[in-house]
Amino acid sequence: MTQKTIVLTDPGQDQAAALFMMLGAPQAFDLLGIVATAGNIDLTHTTQNCLKLLELANRTDIAVMAGCPRPMAGDLVTAEHVHGPTGLDGPQLPAPTTTISEEHGVEFIIRTLRAASDGEITICSLSPMTNLAMALVQAPDIASRIRQVVAMAGAYFEVGNITPTAEFNVYVDPMAADIVLNAGVKTTLLPLDVTHRMLSTPARLAAMGAIGNRCGTATAEMLTFSQTFDLNKYGWEGAPLHGPCVPAYMLRPDIFTGRQINVSVETGQNLATGMTVADWWGITDRHKNVFYVRDGDPDAYYDLLIECLGNLP
Ligand code: BDR
């Protein structure tokens, strides 16, 4: 079934792969618009990166909106050390022939959800959740219109990747994650616990490059660039591939396993800022607000990504 979907993203090579996965599965995703987030890099770059990716995929019909330039509180933390100075380094991508929409990303979310019926719209969050949280604060009535939030965010068993205890997307805007997780909306998290299983081995990257189309080649080249940091850091046979876990979970939930549990976010300024405290063992009686994905089948995951990339130019 096709799901009307809003994408929140700060691409980021892994999120480029996620976006391509959605574009390559039009039977499942009807992309209503993309809200560029400040995260991996500043908003000016993330908006441009979204436009470049749509250009490469011949999908300039999809609207891109700029969201907020910084998190709800505090300064923006970025990740050029992973993604490069443009946030999307690697191959030369086509210059955009389109521009971003004039409407603000938060206004777009509110307007689109208010025009929808209850439970109609899915939010795919690949980035910090700033713009969705801002929309929920400004217009709490929109919560009922959301069918589900599926987000790459958090970590528990794998702890952190930007601090010893925090995953990047939550660390950038812990307050936003806290608001979204407590909005009473059906929410699925794809944390580092599952993304760290999805390693971009040389064989998997070669298979992507061998598709023979420009989106497949560019994805393989982008991931080859961004994996350098993680290969040095972890010493694994490939790097974790985070973003595509979101569309993959929506396309093939059967290849993932998890549990409905409570996840609470540490919003204070301390050693554990941005930590997602996951009550995996049901130790508390806190509300089970999240389906927390802990594991998945990496072969099926990469097969699916390659299949979707193969549907693109
Ligand atoms: C997340 O952090 C970002 O750098 C990646 O694009 C991904 O969204 C993983 O923690």
Side-chain angles (χ1 to χ4, degrees):
M1 192 192 95
T2 311
Q3 295 201 28
K4 291 185 178 173
T5 304
I6 295 174
V7 182
L8 317 176
T9 182
D10 57 339
Q13 295 85 352
D14 64 303
Q15 295 178 45
L19 197 57
F20 286 162
M21 196 183 223
M22 287 185 239
L23 295 175
Q27 76 287 0
F29 301 101
D30 174 10
L31 295 194
L32 303 179
I34 297 175
V35 178
T37 310
N40 280 324
I41 187 89
D42 61 78
L43 194 60
T44 308
H45 280 98
T46 59
T47 53
Q48 287 305 300
N49 292 345
C50 289
L51 294 174
K52 286 180 188 173
L53 293 169
L54 292 177
E55 194 78 42
L56 193 77
N58 272 350
R59 289 303 307 272
T60 53
D61 56 298
I62 298 173
V64 175
M65 273 67 51
C68 300
R70 68 165 179 83
M72 297 183 87
D75 296 329
L76 178 65
V77 176
T78 56
E80 291 100 320
H81 59 288
V82 181
H83 302 283
T86 68
L88 191 60
D89 280 57
Q92 184 74 30
L93 295 173
T97 57
T98 52
T99 53
I100 55 168
S101 303
E102 281 179 16
E103 189 175 29
H104 192 280
V106 174
E107 292 305 325
F108 167 78
I109 294 171
I110 294 172
R111 179 180 61 76
T112 306
L113 290 174
R114 280 191 172 153
S117 46
D118 273 356
E120 193 179 354
I121 311 278
T122 292
I123 310 281
C124 282
S125 180
L126 310 172
S127 65
M129 299 188 212
T130 311
N131 298 297
L132 177 57
M134 290 292 284
L136 285 164
V137 168
Q138 197 175 321
D141 55 287
I142 62 174
S144 66
R145 312 299 168 92
I146 301 174
R147 179 191 180 96
Q148 59 175 336
V149 174
V150 186
M152 192 280 122
Y156 192 67
F157 299 96
E158 288 291 303
V159 288
N161 62 354
I162 185 73
T163 72
T165 51
E167 181 279 327
F168 182 79
N169 287 336
V170 179
Y171 183 75
V172 170
D173 201 336
M175 198 175 285
D178 182 57
I179 288 169
V180 172
L181 264 48
N182 288 302
V185 172
K186 180 183 175 195
T187 298
T188 299
L189 290 189
L190 285 301
L192 297 185
D193 305 319
V194 62
T195 70
H196 279 194
R197 294 267 298 132
M198 307 302 186
L199 301 185
S200 58
T201 60
R204 289 170 179 154
L205 288 180
M208 243 173 253
I211 299 170
N213 59 356
R214 63 174 189 259
C215 288
T217 304
T219 304
E221 290 175 2
M222 283 190 272
L223 296 178
T224 300
F225 177 92
S226 60
Q227 73 174 0
T228 309
F229 178 82
D230 280 342
L231 293 182
N232 290 333
K233 178 179 176 185
Y234 298 114
W236 295 338
E237 55 166 351
L241 183 55
H242 310 287
C245 281
V246 169
Y249 175 78
M250 290 177 63
L251 288 164
R252 290 283 311 275
D254 59 299
I255 67 173
F256 294 92
T257 55
R259 276 186 198 171
Q260 189 73 26
I261 61 167
N262 176 268
V263 177
S264 300
V265 181
E266 175 56 69
T267 54
Q269 288 299 313
N270 54 44
L271 260 185
T273 300
M275 183 178 186
T276 43
V277 179
D279 188 5
W280 183 258
W281 300 113
I283 290 162
T284 71
D285 57 5
R286 291 180 200 137
H287 172 58
K288 295 183 174 166
N289 56 342
V290 162
F291 186 75
Y292 190 89
V293 180
R294 184 165 175 190
D295 208 347
D297 174 347
D299 288 328
Y301 176 67
Y302 277 91
D303 285 350
L304 189 60
L305 175 57
I306 287 163
E307 181 189 326
C308 294
L309 287 171
N311 295 330
L312 297 176

